[in-house]
Amino acid sequence: MKTVITSSGENNSAQFDKRFGRAAWFCVFDEETKESIFVKNTNTNANNGAGTKAAERIVDMNVQKVISGDFGPKAKDLLDKFNVQMVIVQDNDVTVQEIIEKLKA
Amino acid sequence: MSYKIAIASGKGGTGKTTVSVNLFKRLNERQGTKVQLVDCDVEEPNDIIFFCDAEVIDVQEVSQKVPEIDSEKCTFCRKCVEYCEFNAIVVLPTVSFAEINPTLCHSCGACSVACEDDAIIKYYKPIGAIHYYKTKENNGLAEGKLEIGSTMQTKLIRELKKKISDQNDIIIYDAPPGTSCPVVETIHDSDYLILVAEPTLFGLHDLKLMVALVREIGLEFGVVINKVGLGDNDIYEYLVNEHIELLGEIPFSKEYASLYAEGEITGEIPETIHQSYTEILDTLNLKMMHHEGNHHFKW
Ligand code: SF4
Ligand code: SF4
């Protein structure tokens, strides 16, 4: 199963980014292989629809779970439609690695 | 060519409507001048309540073209997605899913151009209506009324303004409150803008936001202070420091406020208020003469 964690940087020690549509990177963590790859979010500067685009990207990557701080209504609808589980983390001061550790546990 | 006067304020409740209606009713003092009032506050048009004898002469529906994807015909090529500048289209080839989000769509038509498979269908969705009224004074009132739930204020205002005849000598646009897109759409092409403000702390704050916006657009403008006597003098200091023209001051009157509540704003108005409007009109007349003069010289 694959999980996306919104991230401010390109590696596991980067800070978790609470913004879903405007996060700089998406960390795609594979629970079977325990590996993570980083995908750049190309829509961070969109005036509108950044959340929808991010959700589209995530569904397209066949991800089952997304961890972020806040999902807009349009992104939520789309993720719901494709049974992607949304997990809200309200902690600002946490790294991607720390979230991955929790997932492994 | 009409002379266009827009009337706006940084927030609701400053008396923008009263000022618009009063100026409209009195601007025909110059003989033979055709004046039309246009209520652009499409979410809550209320100029009409001050015209008890107005008759509706026409109603025109305004609609928006909205695209939809026919998933039977769609080949999920994602070409429309690339064309859509507003990120309104979601296409997921892996799950054969294609959808246009109507709240993000701006009806630009680019997706229809992009699609080579005839999969984009268009339908018309109502966004509001334009009402035309005959009034006792002058050349009537036109108002835009937004369909409940529609977010197309700006488009409706644009359509409304397009419909107003250039045969009018003067057009008065009553703008929505605030500083957002619908306000910009209303005021951007005006020859003169009147900002109505209250002499209070909040009134000054909202006025400053408005002035910043108007200066960015580059419009000629002046300020009318309404409800003078209610607040303090900070607003006057601000106007002087910023070299902003004070067009007039309308005193606060309890008696007048109760007339307003009954929709009687121009009948028996107190002498002080009548006098304030006369002064504002004199200044406006000068501006218009100046404007006409400039136009003749250009000829
Ligand atoms: S009409 Fe324009 S804004 Fe609307 S979906 Fe098509 S391309 Fe996007
Ligand atoms: S361009 Fe036409 S066929 Fe291609 S994804 Fe869009 S709607 Fe479907």
Side-chain angles (χ1 to χ4, degrees):
Chain A
M1 179 169 124
K2 283 197 271 184
T3 301
V4 159
I5 302 157
T6 46
S7 165
S8 59
E10 204 187 345
N11 55 57
N12 281 356
S13 56
Q15 209 72 19
F16 165 65
D17 195 335
K18 275 176 47 170
R19 300 164 310 163
F20 173 64
R22 295 184 197 281
W25 295 86
F26 298 124
C27 166
V28 189
F29 176 69
D30 190 326
E31 274 172 45
E32 271 106 69
T33 63
K34 308 275 183 257
E35 292 202 349
S36 44
I37 52 162
F38 283 80
V39 181
K40 197 169 170 47
N41 180 7
T42 46
N43 286 294
T44 48
N45 293 322
N47 280 333
N48 276 306
T52 317
K53 286 283 116 174
E56 179 185 40
R57 192 85 180 275
I58 278 158
V59 175
D60 211 33
M61 291 190 287
N62 200 17
V63 167
Q64 284 83 42
K65 192 195 275 184
V66 190
I67 301 176
S68 190
D70 163 43
F71 300 89
K74 291 180 211 108
K76 214 182 226 154
D77 282 352
L78 197 65
L79 292 171
D80 262 339
K81 202 176 269 170
F82 291 98
N83 291 320
V84 180
Q85 190 193 348
M86 285 163 269
V87 179
I88 295 176
V89 171
Q90 285 297 4
D91 199 345
N92 262 327
D93 240 4
V94 56
T95 62
V96 172
Q97 184 61 39
E98 286 167 313
I99 294 178
I100 290 178
E101 292 305 324
K102 280 193 194 131
L103 280 175
K104 285 183 187 164
Chain B
M1 276 293 276
S2 322
Y3 185 80
K4 304 190 196 76
I5 304 171
I7 299 171
S9 69
K11 68 172 183 96
T14 56
K16 182 178 54 63
T17 304
T18 339
V19 173
S20 307
V21 173
N22 267 310
L23 291 180
F24 168 72
K25 292 193 176 183
R26 289 188 50 190
L27 259 171
N28 62 343
E29 286 174 357
R30 283 207 300 181
Q31 279 303 309
T33 309
K34 267 202 255 168
V35 190
Q36 188 166 23
L37 177 62
V38 184
D39 194 345
C40 297
D41 187 0
V42 296
E43 275 175 85
E44 234 175 297
N46 61 1
D47 289 2
I48 183 65
I49 59 177
F50 300 109
F51 299 89
C52 31
D53 50 5
E55 281 170 54
V56 184
I57 44 175
D58 196 13
V59 177
Q60 289 170 357
E61 301 281 336
V62 180
S63 55
Q64 172 199 13
K65 253 194 217 166
V66 243
E68 226 176 40
I69 297 177
D70 178 349
S71 41
E72 297 287 305
K73 284 186 176 168
C74 178
T75 56
F76 309 102
C77 68
R78 290 185 57 91
K79 210 168 161 213
C80 55
V81 177
E82 279 158 37
Y83 269 60
C84 181
E85 255 183 76
F86 303 98
N87 289 334
I89 313 180
V90 173
V91 176
L92 292 160
T94 44
V95 284
S96 302
F97 176 84
E99 196 179 75
I100 295 177
N101 193 322
T103 56
L104 288 171
C105 174
H106 282 57
S107 298
C108 73
C111 51
S112 316
V113 178
C115 185
E116 285 159 7
D117 302 285
D118 252 347
I120 309 257
I121 327 157
K122 283 195 213 124
Y123 66 97
Y124 288 87
K125 187 177 150 199
I127 61 168
I130 299 174
H131 295 219
Y132 299 90
Y133 300 94
K134 198 170 115 193
T135 54
K136 201 168 73 200
E137 312 81 357
N138 276 329
N139 214 18
L141 163 71
E143 73 172 18
K145 211 177 182 122
L146 192 72
E147 182 86 13
I148 293 167
S150 174
T151 54
M152 303 304 287
Q153 291 89 334
T154 307
K155 187 179 163 67
L156 181 59
I157 294 169
R158 194 179 310 132
E159 294 303 318
L160 167 65
K161 287 177 70 179
K162 262 195 234 159
K163 292 277 161 62
I164 305 304
S165 161
D166 208 28
Q167 297 302 307
N168 287 296
D169 297 299
I170 304 168
I171 302 173
I172 303 177
Y173 296 126
D174 183 5
T179 49
S180 58
C181 290
V183 178
V184 176
E185 184 63 43
T186 306
I187 65 176
H188 73 96
D189 60 348
S190 56
D191 295 300
Y192 192 77
L193 174 70
I194 299 175
L195 298 180
V196 183
E198 272 172 29
T200 59
L201 192 63
F202 291 121
L204 179 56
H205 170 83
D206 293 319
L207 178 64
K208 284 179 183 168
L209 292 178
M210 204 66 207
V211 167
L213 172 78
V214 169
R215 286 197 165 144
E216 205 182 307
I217 311 176
L219 293 172
E220 194 191 339
F221 71 101
V223 170
V224 166
I225 302 183
N226 194 20
K227 306 182 195 171
V228 169
L230 263 193
D232 50 37
N233 288 324
D234 290 359
I235 196 162
Y236 296 95
E237 209 176 297
Y238 168 75
L239 294 181
V240 172
N241 288 342
E242 291 285 326
H243 309 289
I244 295 170
E245 179 172 17
L246 176 61
L247 265 185
E249 295 171 81
I250 302 164
F252 178 75
S253 147
K254 240 196 195 144
E255 172 195 359
Y256 189 50
S258 60
L259 283 176
Y260 180 94
E262 289 156 24
E264 266 299 323
I265 54 168
T266 45
E268 288 296 306
I269 64 173
E271 186 49 38
T272 44
I273 290 181
H274 189 84
Q275 188 53 36
S276 315
Y277 278 107
T278 308
E279 278 161 27
I280 298 172
L281 282 162
D282 286 346
T283 320
L284 277 178
N285 277 331
L286 277 175
K287 291 199 183 292
M288 280 185 268
M289 263 148 60
H290 193 78
H291 181 86
E292 272 171 30
N294 283 346
H295 275 258
H296 285 302
F297 286 130
K298 268 187 203 152
W299 227 202

